[in-house]
Amino acid sequence: MKKKAACFIALLLTASVMLGGCSGQAIDYTAEAASVDGVSIPLGELNFYLRYQQVEMQSLYGAYFGEDFMNQDLMGTGSVYGETIRDSVLEMLEEFYVIEAHVDELGVSLDEDDESAIAETVETFLSANDSDTLSLLSADEATVTHVLELLRLQVKAYNYLATTIDTEVDEEEAAQKRITYVSYSTAGTTDDDGNTVDLTDEELGEIRAELEEIRDEAQESGDLSTVAEDHELSAVTTTYGSSDETLDEDLKAAADALSDGEFADIVEGDGYYYLVYMESTYDEDATQTEIESILEEREQAAYDDWLDALLEEAEIVVNDSVVDQLSFERIFTVKTEETEEESEE
């Protein structure tokens, strides 16, 4: 969520919006979309935040799923994708309102720099779009300002709670090893009826023999990846730690027994034979990355714990009939310089 807020503000600073599709019926954007502990969330704020999410998604997914993807049931839930996004955006706004009501308990508030940056952003955005676009975005000065204030308060709350975590990380918890391995499937073949035919002992022996040949050649050349390619196989280099759950357990156990520069005996894993080489029993860069990941997880947990407790106590009421007025007949996209040039021709 923290990154979403930052991206959203950046988009506001740089983008104007193009509209397509039908105009639809007039909507009262002052109506209450939901309330949080008696504080009203105007439909206009939901519409504005939703449309900017729609702009971002249009640029990401429009080319893959078609321009009208917001009206498709992409997730197989029985609801069009736009409605799923609308509900998600409303939940985010509900969280922002809870944060706004309680952020002072953290000693956090907007300062002069925040207010100045928001005012400049609002002015830039409003001047970049024509009146019809702003109307359909329900983007007046008060709406855009408040949404940006909510986003900034959320970031500041997250950042403050990130300072409260324990920054000590156990070395064994974070330590990462780096291995290179070659995998060879032992899953068998499929006959004409679609049945799996297990490999014979002789075929399994041939796989093992080829991996041993690769190992011997790699020990001589010092380049497992190139040798694997010569045998039309691929070598994978990866790092892992004690908490890793992605590697095959037999592969991981064999690797753990190795010292730097050693090969394991051929490993019989789940559906594969593996040839494993230990590059380094302590990868400093990967370990530092893991430490940062652990700290980020603690930061997120501190934020989630604080917010979840508040949400559990909050009284949130959604006015479905009001929210349902927001449809997805229109397509909202970012106006680029190229688009502007084309419209002038």
Side-chain angles (χ1 to χ4, degrees), residues 14 33 41 47 54 66 73 76 87 108 117-119 122 127 131 151 156 175 216 222 242-243 249 307 310 319 338:
T14 60
I41 300 177
N47 180 65
Q54 187 175 347
D73 182 10
D87 294 343
V108 171
I118 289 171
V122 172
S127 63
S131 58
L151 289 165
K156 297 191 79 165
D216 293 341
S242 59
S243 62
E249 286 300 318
L307 180 56
L310 295 175
N319 297 320
E338 181 179 341

Side-chain angles (χ1 to χ4, degrees), residues 238-250:
T238 189
T239 56
Y240 74 96
S242 59
S243 62
D244 183 275
E245 296 180 353
T246 59
L247 287 177
D248 180 281
E249 286 300 318
D250 294 312

Side-chain angles (χ1 to χ4, degrees), residues 78-183:
S79 299
V80 300
Y81 188 60
E83 293 174 358
T84 300
I85 298 304
R86 184 185 64 199
D87 294 343
S88 176
V89 169
L90 180 55
E91 287 181 6
M92 282 191 283
L93 280 175
E94 292 163 2
E95 291 180 3
F96 293 162
Y97 268 71
V98 168
I99 292 169
E100 183 181 42
H102 294 275
V103 72
D104 59 337
E105 299 167 9
L106 303 177
V108 171
S109 61
L110 298 179
D111 57 29
E112 290 184 6
D113 288 341
D114 296 321
E115 293 170 352
S116 176
I118 289 171
E120 182 178 348
T121 301
V122 172
E123 182 180 358
T124 300
F125 175 73
L126 294 179
S127 63
N129 291 281
D130 59 40
S131 58
D132 288 340
T133 299
L134 293 175
S135 177
L136 288 165
L137 291 172
S138 56
D140 55 30
E141 182 177 356
T143 296
V144 180
T145 297
H146 190 231
V147 169
L148 291 184
E149 287 173 345
L150 292 172
L151 289 165
R152 183 58 185 155
L153 284 172
Q154 185 274 326
V155 170
K156 297 191 79 165
Y158 185 103
N159 289 345
Y160 170 79
L161 290 162
T163 67
T164 67
I165 66 169
D166 177 9
T167 57
E168 293 295 324
V169 178
D170 181 80
E171 185 175 346
E172 290 187 7
E173 179 186 3
Q176 299 288 297
K177 300 179 180 182
R178 186 174 74 255
I179 60 172
T180 297
Y181 68 90
V182 178
S183 60

Side-chain angles (χ1 to χ4, degrees), residues 267-291:
V267 178
E268 296 185 16
D270 184 15
Y272 288 89
Y273 279 174
Y274 296 101
L275 170 61
V276 190
Y277 176 71
M278 177 57 68
E279 301 276 356
S280 174
T281 53
Y282 184 80
D283 187 297
E284 187 172 351
D285 290 341
T287 299
Q288 183 58 41
T289 299
E290 179 65 14
I291 290 172

Side-chain angles (χ1 to χ4, degrees), residues 18-86:
M18 289 184 63
L19 306 172
C22 304
S23 60
Q25 62 183 14
I27 296 176
D28 179 10
Y29 290 118
T30 66
E32 182 179 281
S35 64
V36 178
D37 290 328
V39 178
S40 178
I41 300 177
L43 183 64
E45 289 187 5
L46 172 59
N47 180 65
F48 175 63
Y49 196 22
L50 170 64
R51 298 315 175 190
Y52 251 96
Q53 299 294 329
Q54 187 175 347
V55 166
E56 187 175 0
M57 290 180 178
Q58 195 73 41
S59 64
L60 290 173
Y61 305 131
Y64 297 98
F65 301 111
E67 286 191 339
D68 196 36
F69 74 93
M70 294 292 270
N71 280 310
Q72 301 174 32
D73 182 10
L74 296 181
M75 312 300 289
T77 61
S79 299
V80 300
Y81 188 60
E83 293 174 358
T84 300
I85 298 304
R86 184 185 64 199

